[in-house]
Structures are given as structure tokens and as C-alpha cells.
Amino acid sequence: MTDAQPSLSDDIKRREISYLIKMGIRLICLILAVAVPAPWPVRALFVAGAVLLPYLAVVGANQRGQGLPPPVDTTGSNQNEIPRHRREIGS
């Protein structure tokens, strides 16, 4: 296992798959709301799913890097590095 962040293409692929799954569920909700003879509270749930899922899908698709390990802190001082104020010879 590594601390490296996944590549941009892997992150995009993961977000695209999540978006497509949510939009597929939305399509199913829309079809069920129209085609299934159900009482109005059940149809209202299907319609609510069909209306709210696009918003949730877009918001989820735009959250880059969510659920990934935090980046490694590389700003710490390296003990083998010469300090900047001592890099010049004769200073």
C-alpha cells in the first residue's frame, strides 16, 4: 500500500461510475413513478427520488478526491537539506 494519491484518470473514472449509478437509480424512480399503480405516498417518494437524485449526482461527481487518504505532508524540514540562508559560500 502506498500513500500516493490515485491518478487523475482513476479519480475521474470513480466519479463517473458513481454519477452513472445515481442517474440509473433516478431513471428507475422516474419509470416507477409513472408506470406502477401505487398509492400517492409511494409515487411521491419515486418522484422525489427522480427530482433530487440529479442534484446529488452532480454534487457527488464534483467532489474531487473525497474518500481518499489525506496527502502526505512534505513541507516538513529535511535534516539532510542545507538551510536556504546558508547555501551561499562565504555568507
Side-chain angles (χ1 to χ4, degrees), residues 43-91:
R43 281 190 180 198
L45 287 174
F46 291 145
V47 170
V51 170
L52 294 176
L53 275 172
Y55 172 76
L56 296 174
V58 170
V59 169
N62 287 330
Q63 290 181 342
R64 182 171 179 213
Q66 296 294 325
L68 302 175
V72 178
D73 182 21
T74 58
T75 59
S77 64
N78 184 353
Q79 297 297 321
N80 296 328
E81 184 179 332
I82 299 173
R84 286 196 181 274
H85 66 282
R86 305 193 97 196
R87 287 192 179 177
E88 294 180 27
I89 297 177
S91 57

Side-chain angles (χ1 to χ4, degrees), residues 4-51:
Q5 296 290 326
S7 68
L8 180 59
S9 61
D10 288 342
D11 185 43
I12 290 172
K13 182 179 178 181
R14 180 189 58 81
R15 291 186 286 146
E16 284 176 344
I17 290 171
S18 173
Y19 177 82
L20 291 173
I21 289 170
K22 290 174 186 170
M23 293 309 286
I25 294 170
R26 178 203 183 219
L27 181 62
I28 292 169
C29 285
L30 187 61
I31 292 170
L32 290 174
V34 173
V36 173
W40 72 268
V42 175
R43 281 190 180 198
L45 287 174
F46 291 145
V47 170
V51 170

